[in-house]
C-alpha cells in the first residue's frame, strides 16, 4: 500500500454515532445504500429519504440481514415535487426533534430534457433545487441539534456532487436560463447534469457562509466513478446508454463511493474545510475550491435558489445565521 493510500479515509476510521439522527436521500441504492449502512453500523438512526417505499423497504430488509438491530427507517421524498418536500419535512419533524447529519445523495444523470410540474428542468430540480429546498426546510431541526450538542462540529450537510460539475469550468451557472433550455445537441443532457451538480457545490459553500455561526456546516464532493444503478428507471435511449456506461466503465464499488460522503459527514478533520469540495477519498481539491472563494459567485447562486424557492412558497431566512 502506498503512503498516499494509507492517508486516505477508510470506513473503519468513522467514529461512534450513537444518538445521531441522520437522513440519506436516495439511500436505497448504490452509493446511498452503503452510506446508510455504514452510518447505521456506527449506531446512528438513519432515515432513507427516497421516492419508492417498496424499494426502500427492500433495501432496509437487505441491510438488516446481517444485523437486525440497525435503526433504519423510510421517509417518503420526491425531489421532483417541491410541495411534497414541505410535507416530508413536516412529517419528519413530527418524528424527530433534531437532525445531526443530512446527506443529499439522491440523483439522476443525463436524462432527456423535461420540466417538473414546478417548472424546473428535471436534473436541476432533482440534483440541486429539491435538495436545497429539503435542506432549508430542515434547518430548524439542524439548528436544534447544533444547540443541544457539546461539539461545534457535529451538525453537517453533505451534498453529493460530481466532477462533471468541475469540467464545466468555474462559475458556469446560467443565471438567465437555469433550465439550460437553449443548450442543444447530444451532450446537452450531460451539460445539464454538470450544471445542476455545480449548483450543489456552490450551495454547500453558501450554506456554510450563512449558518456556520449556528454550528451548521456543509460540504460537497465527487464520490469517484462508481458502479451503480444511476438511471436504472430511465427507459429512454440516453438512459440506456448512461446505464450501460455506469455498469461497464467504473471500477470502484458503492462502498468506495460512500467513503468521501462518510468522511465529510463524520471525520473530525473536515470542519476546518467547511464549505469545500472534496474528492476521493477525503481530499480537498485546491483548483476546484479556488472559485468558491469568489463571494459574488456564491451569493449569486444563493440569490437564484432563494428566489426559485420563494416563488413556490418557501420561507428562507437569509439572516438566521447572522
Ligand atoms: N455512480 C457514479 O459514478 C457517480 C459519480 C459522480 C456522482 N454520483 C452521484 O452520486 C449520487 C448517488 O448516485 P448512485 O450512483 O448511487 O446512483 P443510484 O444507485 O441510481 O442512486 C440514486 C438514488 O437517488 C434516488 N432518486 C432519484 N430520483 C429521486 C427523486 N426524484 N426523489 C428522491 N430520490 C430520488 C434513487 O431512487 P430510486 O431507487 O427510486 O430511483 C436512488 O435511490 C448521485 O447524486 C450521483 O449523481 C455518482
Amino acid at each position: 500500500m502506498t503512503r498516499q493510500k494509507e492517508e486516505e479515509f477508510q470506513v473503519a476510521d468513522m467514529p461512534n454515532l450513537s444518538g445521531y439522527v441522520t437522513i440519506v436521500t436516495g439511500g436505497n441504492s448504490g452509493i446511498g445504500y452503503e452510506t446508510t449502512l455504514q452510518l447505521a453500523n456506527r449506531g446512528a438512526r438513519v432515515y432513507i429519504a427516497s421516492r419508492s417505499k417498496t424499494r426502500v423497504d427492500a433495501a432496509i430488509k437487505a441491510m438488516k440481514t446481517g444485523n437486525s438491530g440497525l435503526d433504519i427507517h423510510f421517509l417518503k421524498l420526491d425531489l421532483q415535487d417541491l410541495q411534497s418536500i414541505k410535507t416530508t419535512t413536516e412529517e419528519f419533524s413530527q418524528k424527530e426533534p433534531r437532525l445531526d447529519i443530512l446527506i443529499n445523495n439522491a440523483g439522476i444523470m443525463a436524462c432527456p430534457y423535461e420540466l417538473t410540474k414546478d417548472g424546473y428542468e428535471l436534473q436541476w430540480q432533482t440534483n440541486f433545487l429539491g435538495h436545497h429546498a429539503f435542506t432549508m426546510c430542515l434547518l430548524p431541526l439542524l439548528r436544534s441539534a447544533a444547540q443541544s450538542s457539546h461539539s461545534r462540529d457535529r451538525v453537517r450537510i453533505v451534498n453529493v456532487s460530481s466532477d462533471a460539475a468541475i469540467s464545466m469550468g468555474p462559475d458556469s451557472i446560467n443565471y438567465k436560463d437555469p433550465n439550460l433550455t437553449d443548450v442543444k445537441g447530444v451532450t446537452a443532457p450531460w451539460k445539464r447534469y454538470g450544471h445542476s451538480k455545480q449548483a450543489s457545490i456552490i450551495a454547500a459553500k453558501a450554506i456554510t457562509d450563512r449558518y456556520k455561526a449556528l454550528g451548521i456546516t456543509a460540504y460537497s464532493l465527487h464520490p469517484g466513478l462508481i458502479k451503480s444503478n444511476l438511471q436504472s428507471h430511465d427507459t429512454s435511449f440516453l438512459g440506456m446508454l448512461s446505464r450501460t456506461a455506469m455498469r461497464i466503465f467504473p471500477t470502484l464499488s458503492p462502498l468506495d463511493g460512500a467513503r468521501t460522503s462518510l468522511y465529510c459527514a463524520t471525520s473530525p478533520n473536515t470542519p476546518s474545510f467547511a464549505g469545500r469540495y472534496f474528492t476521493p477519498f477525503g481530499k480537498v481539491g485546491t483548483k476546484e475550491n479556488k472559485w468558491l472563494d469568489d463571494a459574488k459567485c456564491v451569493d449569486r447562486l444563493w440569490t437564484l435558489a432563494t428566489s426559485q424557492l420563494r416563488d413556490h412558497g418557501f420561507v428562507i431566512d437569509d439572516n438566521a445565521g447572522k
Side-chain angles (χ1 to χ4, degrees), residues 51 78-82 85 106-131 178-181 188-189 191-197 231 233-236 238-239 308:
R51 55 190 169 174
D78 184 356
L79 293 158
Q80 288 172 13
D81 179 349
L82 289 176
I85 293 174
I108 52 173
M109 183 181 67
C111 46
Y113 183 83
E114 195 184 321
L115 296 183
T116 65
K117 64 179 177 180
D118 300 305
Y120 300 113
E121 189 273 324
L122 276 188
Q123 297 187 77
W124 178 259
Q125 182 161 332
T126 311
N127 297 341
F128 165 59
L129 193 65
H131 274 128
N179 287 340
L180 297 189
T181 320
K191 286 185 179 149
R192 292 193 187 94
Y193 177 70
H195 187 246
S196 67
K197 290 293 188 181
Q231 294 312 96
H233 312 296
D234 184 347
T235 51
S236 68
L238 253 178
Q308 290 191 326

Side-chain angles (χ1 to χ4, degrees), residues 26-32 50-52 55 77-80 105-108 126 160-162 193 197 222-226 228-231 233 246:
N28 59 293
S29 175
I31 298 166
S50 203
R51 55 190 169 174
S52 158
R55 287 196 284 276
L77 172 72
D78 184 356
L79 293 158
Q80 288 172 13
N105 159 86
I108 52 173
T126 311
V160 179
S161 182
S162 167
Y193 177 70
K197 290 293 188 181
H222 172 59
L225 206 53
I226 308 298
S228 82
N229 301 315
L230 259 181
Q231 294 312 96
H233 312 296
M246 292 313 290

Side-chain angles (χ1 to χ4, degrees), residues 226-274:
I226 308 298
K227 265 194 202 307
S228 82
N229 301 315
L230 259 181
Q231 294 312 96
S232 56
H233 312 296
D234 184 347
T235 51
S236 68
F237 178 66
L238 253 178
M240 191 198 74
L241 270 186
S242 303
R243 186 165 59 246
T244 309
M246 292 313 290
R247 286 180 184 162
I248 293 175
F249 297 115
T251 51
L252 295 171
S253 68
L255 179 58
D256 280 331
R259 280 166 65 189
T260 309
S261 294
L262 293 167
Y263 179 67
C264 290
T266 68
S267 168
N269 302 331
T270 33
S272 17
F273 302 101

